[in-house]
Amino acid sequence: MDIELHFQKLQFILDQIDIQKKCQFSAWCCNALAIEQKIKENLTQITNSNENYQLCDAIIKAGWYDSSQINIEISQKTIEDINWDDDDPLNDMVETQGTMELLASIRNMLLGIQQKSSDGYYFAACAENVINWKDALANFPYSKDGKIEEENLKREYEIQLLFLDDLRNNLITLQDIKKYR
């Protein structure tokens, strides 16, 4: 699938829905990264703290349940302040790519909320972050032959559109943050 075309489709749909649904879509995307055990472990290991993961998770959950409760400036600063040693050998691991995609996805969600516009660009960018992670896994798979990771990448395009369609048609409940995952 062409990522640019996919991004345009997502943005077109997101442009037509309200800000809370946009936030739910982006939180759903962010959560797809946050629930990856390898990303969680990597973030904890490279920042020497589980607190950073907990902060990311709290921002994602706030985006899912009620984005109006997010203090954008504090949340952005929190995400920007998460850093690690650039010379750490862990930086060469595929999990570190996932960690960077998680942080970028949360930043995109926060920027989308901050804009408060009908533009779905930043919210669609969260979906691209998930695809970037799935693509990294397809290129550096955990499995022996990489077929699982390749299938997961292909399926990601489908489930993003499916979830967004469900969201647009009011078929998503507050319990559905892990739907299709």
Side-chain angles (χ1 to χ4, degrees), residues 70-78 114:
I70 297 175
N71 183 317
I72 299 298
E73 291 78 26
I74 290 174
S75 296
Q76 286 173 327
K77 180 154 178 33
T78 299
Q114 187 176 40

Side-chain angles (χ1 to χ4, degrees), residues 68-156:
S68 69
Q69 300 301 310
I70 297 175
N71 183 317
I72 299 298
E73 291 78 26
I74 290 174
S75 296
Q76 286 173 327
K77 180 154 178 33
T78 299
I79 295 302
E80 288 169 14
D81 286 348
I82 295 175
N83 57 36
W84 56 83
D85 180 2
D86 290 334
D87 296 325
D88 193 318
L90 293 174
N91 292 344
D92 294 332
M93 298 174 59
V94 70
E95 294 87 1
T96 303
Q97 174 69 33
T99 300
M100 290 187 296
E101 295 296 344
L102 171 63
L103 297 175
S105 185
I106 294 170
R107 275 195 288 283
N108 283 325
M109 180 178 70
L110 293 170
L111 286 168
I113 295 168
Q114 187 176 40
Q115 298 295 317
K116 294 182 183 176
S117 71
S118 60
D119 187 355
Y121 175 83
Y122 288 111
F123 301 106
C126 296
E128 186 175 1
N129 294 121
V130 177
I131 289 173
N132 291 344
W133 161 244
K134 300 283 182 173
D135 186 56
L137 284 178
N139 286 301
F140 302 98
Y142 293 130
S143 69
K144 205 171 199 176
D145 61 7
K147 288 183 182 184
I148 292 170
E149 291 84 0
E150 189 63 40
E151 284 302 313
N152 286 339
L153 173 59
K154 290 177 187 174
R155 182 159 156 60
E156 186 62 33

Side-chain angles (χ1 to χ4, degrees), residues 5-179:
L5 181 61
H6 180 70
F7 186 85
Q8 289 171 3
K9 284 181 190 177
L10 292 175
Q11 189 174 353
F12 178 77
I13 297 167
L14 286 162
D15 286 348
Q16 299 173 34
I17 62 177
D18 66 50
I19 187 75
Q20 186 54 39
K21 286 183 179 180
K22 286 179 176 109
C23 291
Q24 284 186 306
F25 178 74
S26 59
W28 176 79
C29 291
C30 292
N31 195 61
L33 296 164
I35 63 174
E36 291 274 348
Q37 189 62 30
K38 297 272 188 185
I39 292 175
K40 178 181 179 179
E41 291 169 359
N42 181 266
L43 178 60
T44 299
Q45 191 173 6
I46 63 177
T47 64
N48 295 313
S49 171
N50 190 41
E51 183 178 309
N52 292 311
Y53 177 81
Q54 292 169 341
L55 290 168
C56 289
D57 190 55
I59 293 168
I60 293 166
K61 297 298 188 285
W64 177 259
Y65 290 109
D66 183 4
S67 62
S68 69
Q69 300 301 310
I70 297 175
N71 183 317
I72 299 298
E73 291 78 26
I74 290 174
S75 296
Q76 286 173 327
K77 180 154 178 33
T78 299
I79 295 302
E80 288 169 14
D81 286 348
I82 295 175
N83 57 36
W84 56 83
D85 180 2
D86 290 334
D87 296 325
D88 193 318
L90 293 174
N91 292 344
D92 294 332
M93 298 174 59
V94 70
E95 294 87 1
T96 303
Q97 174 69 33
T99 300
M100 290 187 296
E101 295 296 344
L102 171 63
L103 297 175
S105 185
I106 294 170
R107 275 195 288 283
N108 283 325
M109 180 178 70
L110 293 170
L111 286 168
I113 295 168
Q114 187 176 40
Q115 298 295 317
K116 294 182 183 176
S117 71
S118 60
D119 187 355
Y121 175 83
Y122 288 111
F123 301 106
C126 296
E128 186 175 1
N129 294 121
V130 177
I131 289 173
N132 291 344
W133 161 244
K134 300 283 182 173
D135 186 56
L137 284 178
N139 286 301
F140 302 98
Y142 293 130
S143 69
K144 205 171 199 176
D145 61 7
K147 288 183 182 184
I148 292 170
E149 291 84 0
E150 189 63 40
E151 284 302 313
N152 286 339
L153 173 59
K154 290 177 187 174
R155 182 159 156 60
E156 186 62 33
Y157 287 94
E158 297 168 16
I159 65 172
Q160 287 180 2
L161 288 168
L162 186 58
F163 183 86
L164 192 51
D165 191 53
D166 286 354
L167 187 63
R168 179 176 51 178
N169 290 310
N170 299 313
L171 300 174
I172 298 298
T173 69
L174 288 178
Q175 290 74 39
D176 289 334
I177 193 166
K178 293 182 182 178
K179 189 171 185 176

